[in-house]
Amino acid sequence: MNWISNYVRPRINSIFSRREVPENLWTKCDECGQMLFHRELAENQNVCPNCGHHMAIKPRERFRHFFDGGIFTEVKVPEPIQDPLQFRDQKKYADRIKEARRTTGEKEAMLVAEGEVGRTPIVAVAQDFSYMAGSMGMYVGNAIIAAAERAVELKRPLVLFAAAGGARMQEGILSLMQMPRTTVAVQMLKEAGLPYVVVLTHPTTGGVTASYAMLGDVQIAEPGALICFAGPRVIEQTIREKLPEGFQRAEYLLDHGMLDRVTPRGKLKDEIVCILRMLLREPPAVMADLPAPAQSEPVDDAPAAAAE
């Protein structure tokens, strides 16, 4: 027996050919600390199955669960000047955009799409908080205007999923001007008699809450979402008082009349379909596909003809 060939060599090969376990297979819940397998978490729409904590979800992944069959068509958004002020803080604004596009794989912080939800044709918009904190720049303003114009053109309701840290200060006054621009876009929908439903996700803050995010016909929020203009820490430091527990969270705002509903992510689709069809004065959606009609068997007339 050659112990070098039969034992030592296979042992060395097994050590050096051992596959590394990817680090992204597991995600730790920030709320309960539970380790969650990535596939299980993705199937549950990034909601912790142990405690119900709602984690961030990217617009494409959200739309995959939201639209019927995960099928949707992107709506083209006019691209503004990329760096109109040639802004620079610790790094160039243009470099920040390149880094955000590389890490997220998206062109900008907002995605516009059209498709069917519960067999109801809609236009939907979603912000990507991982792209520069979902900040509202000129592209975001253009995206909401493009979505509103498309909704009016097709006579469809508009559903918006907000997630933002506020206006994008690297664009200065141009970012703040998106507040009145998006307000005019929402007014276009109201004048056309089309529903506008807003879903506020964690977090939705700053100039976004001072414009399109709080102008919906129906305001829905995901559980635990922080929704505010100025954050709790800023307010505490300003008034020098301790704020109530859960201040500016979705449940607190619901109790104080700022929201219509707080709905878990897994139930959002059915609830939005129900609300939209009521606002459109349409019958309730068919919640399941009907069976295909039975095909009648062809009648064979050959034996009868032969008997004659």
Side-chain angles (χ1 to χ4, degrees):
M1 176 179 177
N2 191 337
W3 68 277
I4 294 178
S5 301
N6 296 339
Y7 179 78
V8 176
R9 186 174 295 170
R11 181 64 176 169
I12 294 174
N13 290 339
S14 67
I15 292 174
F16 287 98
S17 63
R18 187 177 298 163
R19 292 185 178 181
E20 295 293 334
V21 178
E23 296 181 356
N24 60 351
L25 287 180
W26 298 88
T27 301
K28 184 178 180 180
C29 176
D30 297 331
E31 192 70 20
C32 67
Q34 181 79 16
M35 295 301 294
L36 306 170
F37 188 52
H38 71 110
R39 289 182 183 174
E40 180 185 2
L41 187 61
E43 290 173 0
N44 206 37
Q45 300 185 52
N46 281 19
V47 177
C48 176
N50 185 52
C51 67
H53 175 61
H54 284 54
M55 305 179 191
I57 184 170
K58 291 183 174 293
R60 290 186 188 276
E61 186 68 13
R62 182 184 289 276
F63 285 167
R64 187 177 70 82
H65 291 280
F66 186 63
F67 284 102
D68 293 345
I71 300 172
F72 60 89
T73 303
E74 288 189 48
V75 175
K76 187 176 180 181
V77 177
E79 293 193 33
I81 299 174
Q82 188 176 87
D83 187 5
L85 304 180
Q86 300 297 306
F87 189 89
R88 181 185 182 119
D89 43 50
Q90 294 179 342
K91 64 170 65 174
K92 293 181 180 180
Y93 177 41
D95 293 338
R96 290 190 183 277
I97 292 177
K98 290 178 182 178
E99 182 179 353
R101 289 180 175 177
R102 179 181 58 81
T103 56
T104 63
E106 295 291 344
K107 182 184 298 183
E108 252 287 349
M110 185 162 274
L111 181 65
V112 185
E114 59 183 63
E116 290 189 351
V117 179
R119 298 185 180 179
T120 305
I122 70 162
V123 176
V125 189
Q127 282 181 276
D128 187 354
F129 191 79
S130 63
Y131 190 107
M132 295 186 67
S135 49
M136 177 181 62
M138 291 188 294
Y139 186 95
V140 170
N142 287 353
I144 294 176
I145 292 172
E149 290 176 343
R150 186 63 174 168
V152 171
E153 177 187 352
L154 300 176
K155 294 181 173 55
R156 296 183 178 183
L158 178 61
V159 178
L160 183 140
F161 297 90
R168 188 174 298 177
M169 290 296 98
Q170 288 90 345
E171 295 183 10
I173 190 64
L174 297 173
S175 67
L176 297 178
M177 286 304 297
Q178 307 314 307
M179 295 167 64
R181 290 184 75 217
T182 55
T183 302
V184 171
V186 173
Q187 186 61 30
M188 289 168 47
L189 292 168
K190 296 185 182 296
E191 291 177 357
L194 297 170
Y196 174 50
V197 176
V198 177
V199 180
L200 301 160
T201 70
H202 177 76
T204 303
T205 63
V208 171
T209 56
S211 54
Y212 58 86
M214 298 302 292
L215 296 176
D217 299 312
V218 179
Q219 298 286 138
I220 307 174
E222 292 184 342
L226 176 66
I227 303 163
C228 60
F229 183 77
R233 183 176 60 184
V234 175
I235 295 175
E236 277 191 346
Q237 292 174 350
T238 302
I239 66 177
R240 300 178 186 277
E241 290 186 14
K242 185 67 177 176
L243 298 174
E245 186 69 24
F247 183 67
Q248 295 180 319
R249 295 288 174 170
E251 294 77 8
Y252 183 92
L253 297 181
L254 177 65
D255 292 340
H256 289 77
M258 291 289 290
L259 299 174
D260 298 305
R261 301 281 289 175
V262 174
T263 306
R265 190 175 293 164
K267 299 181 179 179
L268 267 175
K269 178 176 179 177
D270 293 340
E271 185 155 302
I272 289 175
V273 169
C274 180
I275 290 171
L276 289 178
R277 295 186 77 87
M278 283 194 295
L279 294 176
L280 294 170
R281 298 181 180 179
E282 295 182 359
V286 177
M287 302 309 293
D289 289 333
L290 297 175
Q295 295 183 354
S296 58
E297 296 182 0
V299 179
D300 190 3
D301 294 333
E308 293 177 358

